[in-house]
Amino acid sequence: MAEEDYSVNKLMRNSVRFADLYNGTVFRGKQVLKPEDLSDVPDENGIAIVGLDGKRRLIRRSRDVIKKASFGAYFVLLAEENQDKVHYAMPVRSMLYDALEYTEQVEALKRRHRECGDRLEGDAFLSGITRDDRIMPVVTLTVYHGAKPWDGPRSLYDMLEMDRDSKEWEVLKEVLPDYRLNLVELNNMQHLERFRSSLQPIFTVLKYNRKDKRKFYEYLENHREELRKMDDDSVRAMLALLGEQKRLLRMLELPGGEGKERMDVYNAIDELIADGREEGKAEGKAEGRVEGKAIGLELGQKRVNELILLLARAGRTQDMIRAAGDRQYQEKLFEEFGI
């Protein structure tokens, strides 16, 4: 959803959390990346190509988040792509992103030689760069935060129509490079203690919410003060990932200064904890109805999410705010949009 993508992208653009994401996953908890060693770079790249029909076309792609990192004596480009749904062509999509980054670096080298008035000859003239020119490595993490398990391909090989046991494959794979997807599945995150920023409580809450409701509400209760101290971007992202659209809308739309916004954060956390207490009481009284209740809540939330998206597209902000606190008006809008 639009608000979920926006909130998660904004969360990850912060250098402290971006470094924490890579340190907690790629580097297995070692503090290899430092926030101060990260710098922002353009998040859009493109290349003009000429097709078989002679027409010139522009291929342009925009990154969710990308930063340049000081990596020992070298520099690397580190990117992060957010996915709330399974993308069955993600290895090719990620490969294209990285290829465009490499292409942009080569084009930058060509421009530098031209601007410096370098006279390239022979093979260097053909490529526009010299034998000694070098480009930075590019790494992309795909962070999947959807509810269903990832059942898509995890590499280019997974997408190929080839029998892995055939003799043809044995010959072909010797010359066919694979492209592996660096996939981070938040539903199956292990070693959450490796994260040191607000990513740790956010990832923990999301995992428990989908795997174990009892642990989810226990965590909210036991870490209440820690959650209340989180910055506003972290709370917004957490609520968006949890599907707490009503609370998210109230935080985004209610007027007020910094103090008012901080109270909205406190209220959002306290309401989640209160919901957990009430749901826990209901479970104790009607254990047999828990599964049906969970299914009903999930279906109801899907209707609300769809309604919010439709209202947002129509620019009906006031209707979104009113629907968040008025059940009867919400039902009226459901009927209007045929949801």
Side-chain angles (χ1 to χ4, degrees), residues 219-253:
Y219 184 88
L220 290 177
E221 184 79 53
N222 295 334
H223 295 80
R224 175 178 178 176
E225 290 307 312
E226 177 187 350
L227 293 170
R228 284 166 63 107
K229 290 177 182 177
M230 288 199 308
D231 62 283
D232 300 336
D233 287 341
S234 295
V235 176
R236 287 195 184 104
M238 183 180 73
L239 293 177
L241 288 169
L242 291 174
E244 294 286 336
Q245 309 302 348
K246 290 183 180 179
R247 294 184 179 93
L248 182 57
L249 279 173
R250 284 202 292 275
M251 283 185 63
L252 294 175
E253 299 295 342

Side-chain angles (χ1 to χ4, degrees), residues 167-272:
K167 60 181 181 181
E168 290 83 5
W169 173 250
E170 289 299 317
V171 174
L172 190 60
K173 72 177 183 179
E174 295 298 323
V175 294
L176 180 68
D178 194 7
Y179 193 88
R180 183 172 59 88
L181 192 64
N182 298 311
L183 184 67
V184 178
E185 293 184 81
L186 297 192
N187 280 350
N188 297 318
M189 286 291 291
Q190 304 297 322
H191 304 293
L192 291 165
E193 73 281 356
R194 291 175 176 173
F195 299 97
R196 300 189 179 186
S197 71
S198 62
L199 294 185
Q200 185 186 87
I202 292 172
F203 290 171
T204 302
V205 164
L206 182 64
K207 181 178 179 179
Y208 285 163
N209 181 53
R210 291 173 177 171
K211 299 284 186 179
D212 191 326
K213 286 289 186 182
R214 192 177 300 277
K215 285 186 177 180
F216 169 68
Y217 289 119
E218 285 177 357
Y219 184 88
L220 290 177
E221 184 79 53
N222 295 334
H223 295 80
R224 175 178 178 176
E225 290 307 312
E226 177 187 350
L227 293 170
R228 284 166 63 107
K229 290 177 182 177
M230 288 199 308
D231 62 283
D232 300 336
D233 287 341
S234 295
V235 176
R236 287 195 184 104
M238 183 180 73
L239 293 177
L241 288 169
L242 291 174
E244 294 286 336
Q245 309 302 348
K246 290 183 180 179
R247 294 184 179 93
L248 182 57
L249 279 173
R250 284 202 292 275
M251 283 185 63
L252 294 175
E253 299 295 342
L254 283 174
E258 184 177 340
K260 180 69 174 82
E261 188 151 339
R262 177 47 46 183
M263 285 306 300
D264 292 339
V265 171
Y266 290 162
N267 291 337
I269 298 300
D270 290 343
E271 286 175 10
L272 277 177

Side-chain angles (χ1 to χ4, degrees), residues 133-146:
D133 284 328
R134 294 292 182 268
I135 57 178
M136 292 179 287
V138 180
V139 179
T140 299
L141 288 185
T142 298
V143 177
Y144 174 62
H145 48 83

Side-chain angles (χ1 to χ4, degrees), residues 13 37 46 56 60 62 83 107 113 129 133-134 144 148 156 176 201 215 231 253 272 285 304 315:
R13 288 193 184 105
D37 293 334
R56 188 179 178 87
R60 179 181 296 169
S62 233
Q83 284 295 126
E107 292 301 314
H113 284 302
I129 64 175
D133 284 328
R134 294 292 182 268
Y144 174 62
K148 62 174 286 191
L156 179 63
L176 180 68
K215 285 186 177 180
D231 62 283
E253 299 295 342
L272 277 177
K285 293 179 180 178
V304 172

Side-chain angles (χ1 to χ4, degrees), residues 85-104:
K85 293 182 175 58
V86 177
H87 195 303
Y88 293 112
M90 199 64 200
V92 171
R93 181 183 177 188
S94 183
M95 182 169 59
L96 177 58
Y97 283 147
D98 291 353
L100 287 174
E101 293 291 348
Y102 285 125
T103 301
E104 180 60 34

Side-chain angles (χ1 to χ4, degrees), residues 60-80:
R60 179 181 296 169
R61 291 294 184 274
S62 233
R63 291 281 200 174
D64 284 340
V65 186
I66 183 167
K67 293 182 181 289
K68 182 179 178 180
S70 175
F71 196 70
Y74 306 97
F75 289 100
V76 296
L77 289 176
L78 303 176
E80 187 260 347

